[in-house]
Amino acid sequence: MSQYGEPDHYILHLSDTHFVTDGDLLHDSVDSDANLARIFERLERTGQRPEAIVFTGDLADVGEPEAYVRLRRIVEPAAERLGAQVIWVMGNHDARPAFRSGLLDSAPTQESVDSVVDVNGLRIIVLDSTVPGFHHGLISDEQLAWLEGVLAVPAPHGTLLALHHPPVPSVLDVLTLVELKDQNKLAAVLEGTDVRGILGGHLHYSTTCTFAGIPVSVASASCYTQDVLAGTGILRGQNGSQAFNMVHVYRDRVLHTVVPVEESATVYEMSTDHLQEAIDKLVPAFKLYGSTTAPAN
């Protein structure tokens, strides 16, 4: 039996679907719909049962109402089959009125999209980091006051904060133009609270960091990704390396696992019993050649 025990919660973290008009390809080469559908097909085929699916923004590429309708048609039936609730987060490519009406069945207003969702004792706070008409992020003073009030009462299993613009530096210098501004104000609100992790998107590549002493996990995009070795002052989008994250919440830790969208060729496949047999066979050989520890893989 694992020394860590079973996780208390299992959450899926996806980001940046960038849906476009029906029949069109994103940047004339990326089928955003097919990529997302492939993720859910694989999840169902492998028997995954997450409690919730969090989409951290840029759900549509230019905020078209039709894009949200099509996104919902793919996600909600799959989520129902998986037994998961869906949590939508605004991104800078999204439009608040269409987002609200198309995904939340609410009035198409320009109000900030902030909410609190209980997932069997785990609190997920959705924070709208967008600034209408711009691509950088900002949390308003009103939002910060609201967030401080919510966090004043701890949740039974702690809190995950989900927002589009992650409060992390980027290896791509050009992305400083569209980063989250005034991050120190958010840090002041989060310090000393029960927030156990921050989920973000926006960057189109997977990365991790800490913010105000809290682990931050950025999910890559399901549409296209950024070449992190593109060079100074350059953004190079690529149709490859798409991924999503699995988030397993334990009593004393949170585990983030990056899963590529594309499936690769099998090198070998081994059950638990066979793995133990292989380890047992390797141990005598390693002792013979002067090592007391055999590798597990």
Side-chain angles (χ1 to χ4, degrees):
M1 183 176 179
S2 169
Q3 62 182 313
Y4 302 107
E6 294 296 321
D8 296 322
H9 301 281
Y10 170 25
I11 310 295
L12 283 177
H13 176 199
L14 291 86
S15 200
D16 294 85
T17 54
H18 282 264
F19 270 36
V20 292
T21 303
D22 190 17
D24 288 349
L25 296 177
L26 181 62
H27 297 297
D28 299 320
S29 61
V30 177
D31 191 335
S32 302
D33 302 52
N35 284 356
L36 187 60
R38 189 182 309 141
I39 290 173
F40 285 115
E41 185 278 329
R42 186 179 179 190
L43 290 168
E44 291 186 63
R45 173 163 43 88
T46 55
Q48 300 295 308
R49 287 296 181 267
E51 295 167 85
I53 306 170
V54 180
F55 286 84
T56 49
D58 279 4
L59 307 178
D61 190 53
V62 291
E64 295 170 308
E66 178 193 337
Y68 297 116
V69 172
R70 286 198 350 275
L71 176 65
R72 196 169 177 177
R73 284 176 184 163
I74 292 175
V75 173
E76 290 189 345
E80 184 175 358
R81 292 190 296 269
L82 293 171
Q85 58 180 306
V86 181
I87 300 173
W88 306 108
V89 181
M90 270 284 299
N92 55 286
H93 279 257
D94 293 308
R96 283 177 180 171
F99 180 101
R100 283 183 165 279
S101 60
L103 297 178
L104 306 179
D105 296 325
S106 61
T109 69
Q110 280 286 8
E111 291 181 59
S112 180
V113 185
D114 308 301
S115 62
V116 180
V117 182
D118 175 71
V119 181
N120 302 317
L122 175 69
R123 179 169 58 190
I124 298 180
I125 297 179
V126 173
L127 196 59
D128 186 346
S129 60
T130 67
V131 181
F134 298 89
H135 287 295
H136 69 271
L138 182 70
I139 311 300
S140 70
D141 290 341
E142 291 77 14
Q143 288 176 286
L144 291 171
W146 170 80
L147 178 62
E148 186 174 21
V150 172
L151 293 174
V153 179
H157 296 170
T159 298
L160 296 180
L161 178 64
L163 75 171
H164 182 62
H165 297 82
V168 302
S170 174
V171 295
L172 294 170
D173 64 315
V174 70
L175 289 182
T176 60
L177 299 173
V178 294
E179 67 184 6
L180 183 68
K181 308 297 183 184
D182 294 342
Q183 296 182 18
N184 59 310
K185 293 183 178 181
L186 178 60
V189 172
L190 297 182
E191 287 175 350
T193 68
D194 74 340
V195 175
R196 304 179 59 188
I198 300 174
L199 310 181
H202 190 49
L203 302 182
H204 286 243
Y205 63 87
S206 303
T207 192
T208 59
C209 194
T210 57
F211 177 73
I214 302 167
V216 181
S217 177
V218 179
S220 185
S222 64
C223 59
Y224 68 89
T225 63
Q226 291 293 342
D227 179 359
V228 297
L229 299 179
T232 303
I234 298 173
L235 279 181
R236 178 182 173 272
Q238 55 189 6
N239 190 4
S241 302
Q242 294 91 338
F244 61 96
N245 287 4
M246 299 189 301
V247 183
H248 291 90
V249 180
Y250 292 80
R251 179 183 56 80
D252 60 348
R253 67 197 68 204
V254 181
L255 176 69
H256 302 268
T257 305
V258 178
V259 184
V261 172
E262 182 178 357
E263 296 185 66
S264 301
T266 300
V267 176
Y268 68 84
E269 188 168 325
M270 188 179 295
S271 69
T272 303
D273 290 341
H274 289 158
L275 177 59
Q276 186 60 57
E277 291 176 7
I279 292 173
D280 291 342
K281 289 179 180 178
L282 280 173
V283 169
F286 273 82
K287 287 183 177 179
L288 177 65
Y289 290 100
S291 174
T292 59
T293 304
N297 54 15

